[in-house]
Amino acid sequence: MMHARAHVFTLRLALRLGFRLGLGLGLGLTGCVVDLAPPAPLERPTLEQFKTVSPLMEQRCGSLDCHGSLARPFRVYGVRGLRFVDILNPDQALELVDPELVRANGSYPGTGGKPTSEAEYTQNWRSACALEPEKLTQVTRGELDPDALLLLKKPLGVEGHKGAAVFIKGSSDYVCITSWLDGEVSESECALALKNP
Ligand code: HEM
């Protein structure tokens, strides 16, 4: 009798364990099915045209207490604020340990030394494009209004912004940035915007 009971108990235990194992395995397999489809290609407006917009972003957004800071996702480098140190470039990397070299190279943050470099334009472009890459792709394809981007919602004050409203819709600042987003940067509007204090 005892033997039969022990047998039934073991059988039950085995069944329960088997069931749980099966369930776990099943869930695990369905859960970690890898989607092998390549990620949707991202599109963005050009770096070349962005070089006309960057001076405006440096002037309007790039001060050290605003976006001239490593703490900001939207990070702006340039002659007026934060300087980009290319640590892969041995000459520049030395600036990290030699303040005199920083002064000599004119790359002391916030002091308006050497002009904004090609590397800094590239960093600013990457930062502006990396905020919302999927949405930016839609904007670049003309499928979404540029005003849907944080890059505009924040400085327009549409979305809460510690920097408050920096420009209004239709202003030369706004047209400078949106013309770049639309693929044909307006050099005249960007130049006009830069003249505004
Ligand atoms: C046209 C110029 C500007 C643009 C395009 C802009 C854009 C943005 C964007 C996209 C964000 C969200 C991503 C992030 O946190 O970095 C943001 C946040 C922020 N911005 Fe600006 N900004 C501008 C000017 C300024 C200025 C002048 C200040 C400082 C007075 C400022 C201060 C901040 C701060 C503190 C945040 C983080 C907190 C928040 O989301 O409000 N911004 N801005």
Side-chain angles (χ1 to χ4, degrees):
M1 188 57 182
M2 272 304 280
H3 188 66
R5 258 208 214 120
H7 193 64
V8 170
F9 175 73
T10 326
L11 198 61
R12 268 213 198 119
L13 190 64
L15 280 172
R16 213 177 284 152
L17 274 178
F19 173 72
R20 285 199 185 138
L21 214 68
L23 189 68
L25 211 65
L27 285 174
L29 281 176
T30 46
C32 66
V33 168
V34 181
D35 175 5
L36 293 172
L42 296 172
E43 292 173 34
R44 52 196 170 174
T46 68
L47 167 59
E48 216 33 57
Q49 292 199 12
F50 179 79
K51 292 177 189 172
T52 308
V53 180
S54 185
L56 177 67
M57 287 188 172
E58 294 163 42
Q59 186 172 317
R60 290 280 187 275
C61 334
S63 56
L64 296 176
D65 58 339
C66 302
H67 292 277
S69 154
L70 293 176
R72 297 261 53 85
F74 176 51
R75 196 174 300 160
V76 177
Y77 294 90
V79 62
R80 295 161 174 273
L82 188 65
R83 302 317 312 243
F84 176 69
V85 177
D86 181 359
I87 53 172
L88 300 177
N89 171 342
D91 298 332
Q92 273 198 22
L94 279 176
E95 287 185 16
L96 295 175
V97 289
D98 185 350
E100 281 322 306
L101 189 61
V102 175
R103 269 182 222 288
N105 288 352
S107 42
Y108 207 83
T111 59
K114 64 179 179 183
T116 304
S117 67
E118 285 299 317
E120 287 170 331
Y121 283 135
T122 306
Q123 292 297 322
N124 295 348
W125 173 66
R126 285 187 182 148
S127 172
C129 293
L131 287 167
E132 299 170 297
E134 287 76 18
K135 270 192 179 174
L136 184 64
T137 299
Q138 289 178 284
V139 168
T140 310
R141 289 183 184 148
E143 296 164 1
L144 185 68
D145 186 325
D147 289 3
L149 296 171
L150 264 184
L151 193 64
L152 287 170
K153 285 199 286 191
K154 288 277 182 182
L156 283 171
V158 172
E159 175 126 346
H161 184 222
K162 287 241 170 66
V166 182
F167 52 72
I168 57 167
K169 195 167 172 157
S171 64
S172 46
D173 289 37
Y174 175 84
V175 177
C176 174
I177 297 173
T178 48
S179 62
W180 165 66
L181 292 167
D182 290 341
E184 268 189 61
V185 70
S186 164
E187 295 192 5
S188 56
E189 286 292 335
C190 293
L192 195 59
L194 277 175
K195 286 200 188 110
N196 296 338

